[in-house]
């Protein structure tokens, strides 16, 4: 397993970690930054709980944030060292081979957590500003995996303490006298693209009840997800929000919707059948129905539905588009 694989796994780890190891990492991070160790280390169930505690005036004796000294300065110094050692071209190649892909994956989750915390903890413009500032004080723990996997994180290195915390905990807040640490999530569900995604519960959940619901990366409410279980074509057509209507169609199934809504084909030829679903306030959904010419083990032939651009006029044009071809040059030897 490569270092990138190790840190990819850390970034997605759920459940409680080793608190003693995380706290030792916090103290090491302070020492490596030339600071006195925090007098207290406090644990909370989620980033939301941390922000609520801080914004409500809890831990008043915490002192100023030392994130710059603990996290930003050593990271910048290590990056500069490796860049000087490798040169610009080799450094870029190093980043692409280590943290680049993981950065995109973790940032998707980080942004959703930030949005969820702001939504849950703030109801006014002033409160939202306060919460955003508190979130800027956070070190991201396991979600800092992208850059941690790109540099030296051995125990004695400048990033050793930060790495030790990241292996065992979620986000944490370093202040002069107090460090506040959030547990990792208890559940994490993502689709193939790495987006938060779950149709039957929270896509991201913490032990204290903080939850985020999402479908293909789009934030939705728990009530909306529950409503998907009783969908009907009429309910789908009545939904005014175009993005929510797309989710409904994906969940319900385009083929099922076509069948139950009495849709009519607009074109058919030897490649398949072209269908169109007209949606008010949104682009039409156009799909090609094709039949696999290779039979299944039981002798039946499986039907597939291929979504194609709204401007598609013929079934052949739609099938050709899925292969990256124009209709005029698409000549399948065998339809599959």
């Amino acid at each position: 397993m490569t270092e990138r694989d190790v840190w990819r796994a850390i970034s997605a780890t759920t459940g409680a970690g080793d608190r003693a190891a995380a706290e030792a990492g916090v103290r090491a991070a302070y020492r490596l930054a030339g600071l006195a160790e925090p007098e207290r280390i406090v644990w909370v169930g989620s980033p939301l709980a941390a922000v609520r505690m801080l914004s409500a005036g809890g831990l008043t004796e915490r002192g100023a944030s030392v994130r710059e000294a603990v996290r930003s300065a050593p990271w910048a110094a290590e990056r500069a060292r490796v860049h000087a050692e490798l040169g610009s071209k080799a450094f870029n190649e190093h980043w692409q081979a280590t943290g680049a892909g993981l950065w995109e994956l973790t940032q998707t989750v980080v942004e959703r957590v930030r949005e969820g915390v702001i939504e849950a903890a703030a109801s006014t413009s002033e409160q939202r500003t306060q919460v955003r500032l508190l979130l800027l004080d956070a070190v991201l723990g396991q979600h800092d995996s992208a850059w941690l996997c790109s540099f030296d994180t051995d125990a004695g290195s400048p990033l050793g303490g930060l790495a030790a915390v990241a292996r065992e905990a979620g986000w944490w807040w370093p202040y002069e006298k107090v460090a506040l640490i959030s547990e990792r999530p208890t559940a994490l569900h993502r689709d193939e693209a790495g987006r938060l995604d779950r149709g039957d519960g929270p896509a991201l959940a913490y032990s204290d009840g903080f939850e985020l619901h999402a479908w293909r990366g789009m934030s939705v409410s728990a009530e909306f997800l529950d409503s998907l279980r009783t969908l009907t074509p009429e309910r789908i057509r009545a939904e005014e929000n175009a993005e929510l209507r797309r989710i409904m169609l994906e969940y319900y199934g385009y083929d099922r919707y076509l069948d139950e809504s009495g849709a009519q084909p607009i074109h058919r030829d030897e490649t398949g059948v072209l269908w169109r679903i007209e949606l008010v306030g949104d682009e039409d959904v156009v799909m090609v129905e094709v039949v696999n010419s290779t039979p299944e083990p039981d002798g039946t032939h499986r039907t597939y539905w291929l979504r194609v651009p709204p401007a598609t006029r013929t079934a052949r044009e739609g099938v050709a588009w899925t292969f990256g071809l124009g209709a005029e040059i698409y000549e399948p030897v065998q339809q599959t």
Side-chain angles (χ1 to χ4, degrees), residues 159-173:
L159 306 181
L162 294 169
V165 184
R167 294 186 182 101
E168 304 296 339
W171 298 17
W172 60 287
W173 282 255

Side-chain angles (χ1 to χ4, degrees), residues 215-236:
W215 178 272
R216 305 289 192 269
M218 179 180 171
S219 176
V220 296
S221 67
E223 293 73 22
F224 174 78
L225 287 180
D226 287 340
S227 74
L228 295 179
R229 301 170 188 169
T230 57
L231 277 178
T232 63
E234 293 74 23
R235 170 72 182 87
I236 294 172

Side-chain angles (χ1 to χ4, degrees), residues 198-218:
R198 189 180 179 190
D200 59 353
L204 186 71
Y206 288 84
S207 61
D208 62 358
F210 177 44
E211 299 176 340
L212 298 175
H213 294 80
W215 178 272
R216 305 289 192 269
M218 179 180 171

Side-chain angles (χ1 to χ4, degrees), residues 16-25 27 41-45 168-169 181 183:
D18 184 331
R19 284 193 172 190
E23 291 180 10
R27 295 187 179 96
I41 296 178
V42 179
W43 286 82
V44 292
E168 304 296 339
I181 310 178
E183 296 278 11

Side-chain angles (χ1 to χ4, degrees), residues 27-63:
R27 295 187 179 96
Y30 275 65
R31 292 195 304 270
L32 288 166
L35 301 173
E37 296 179 9
E39 298 172 4
R40 294 174 57 201
I41 296 178
V42 179
W43 286 82
V44 292
S46 70
L48 174 60
V51 165
R52 281 178 169 164
M53 180 180 290
L54 294 168
S55 60
L59 306 179
T60 53
E61 78 288 7
R62 65 182 184 265

Side-chain angles (χ1 to χ4, degrees), residues 46-322:
S46 70
L48 174 60
V51 165
R52 281 178 169 164
M53 180 180 290
L54 294 168
S55 60
L59 306 179
T60 53
E61 78 288 7
R62 65 182 184 265
S65 171
V66 292
R67 181 183 186 276
E68 177 67 25
V70 168
R71 193 266 195 189
S72 300
W75 174 81
E78 185 66 5
R79 182 184 184 280
R81 181 188 69 78
V82 176
H83 188 278
E85 181 181 296
L86 298 178
S88 296
K89 183 176 183 297
F91 179 84
N92 183 62
E93 292 172 349
H94 170 70
W95 170 249
Q96 293 301 320
T98 54
L102 187 52
W103 171 264
E104 296 176 4
L105 189 65
T106 54
Q107 281 302 107
T108 299
V109 177
V110 167
E111 289 306 314
R112 285 291 295 111
V113 171
R114 284 177 176 151
E115 291 168 7
V117 169
I118 292 170
E119 181 179 351
S123 57
T124 67
S125 176
E126 182 179 356
Q127 289 174 345
R128 285 191 287 273
T129 298
Q130 180 188 25
V131 170
R132 287 192 181 96
L133 291 174
L134 289 172
L135 289 170
L136 290 176
D137 286 342
V139 180
L140 302 185
Q142 68 181 135
H143 294 150
D144 270 334
S145 293
W147 61 269
L148 286 172
C149 83
S150 302
F151 303 103
D152 180 10
T153 56
D154 290 342
S157 74
L159 306 181
L162 294 169
V165 184
R167 294 186 182 101
E168 304 296 339
W171 298 17
W172 60 287
W173 282 255
Y175 295 97
E176 288 176 325
K177 298 182 179 180
V178 179
L180 185 61
I181 310 178
S182 166
E183 296 278 11
R184 296 183 299 211
T186 55
L188 172 65
H189 300 269
R190 294 187 287 205
D191 63 10
E192 299 82 358
R195 301 170 299 186
L196 289 179
D197 177 51
R198 189 180 179 190
D200 59 353
L204 186 71
Y206 288 84
S207 61
D208 62 358
F210 177 44
E211 299 176 340
L212 298 175
H213 294 80
W215 178 272
R216 305 289 192 269
M218 179 180 171
S219 176
V220 296
S221 67
E223 293 73 22
F224 174 78
L225 287 180
D226 287 340
S227 74
L228 295 179
R229 301 170 188 169
T230 57
L231 277 178
T232 63
E234 293 74 23
R235 170 72 182 87
I236 294 172
R237 284 194 294 271
E239 175 56 56
E240 296 181 355
N241 185 297
E243 290 183 325
L244 294 182
R245 192 165 54 218
R246 287 196 193 101
I247 293 175
M248 290 176 171
L249 281 167
E250 289 178 7
Y251 186 93
Y252 197 73
Y254 292 105
D255 53 345
R256 181 183 174 193
Y257 180 85
L258 286 167
D259 180 56
E260 296 183 7
S261 63
Q264 297 295 317
I266 59 175
H267 181 266
R268 67 174 70 233
D269 56 31
E270 71 280 6
T271 65
V273 182
L274 188 68
W275 300 82
R276 182 183 299 274
I277 304 174
E278 295 183 358
L279 300 175
V280 178
D282 194 9
E283 66 178 19
D284 293 351
V285 172
V286 179
M287 307 192 75
V288 180
E289 175 188 359
V290 297
V291 177
N292 190 349
S293 60
T294 302
E296 300 294 310
D298 62 1
T300 61
H301 292 263
R302 194 168 184 178
T303 298
Y304 292 90
W305 299 80
L306 310 174
R307 187 166 182 182
V308 297
T312 303
R313 296 164 297 174
T314 68
R316 173 182 291 276
E317 181 183 349
V319 175
W321 178 85
T322 67

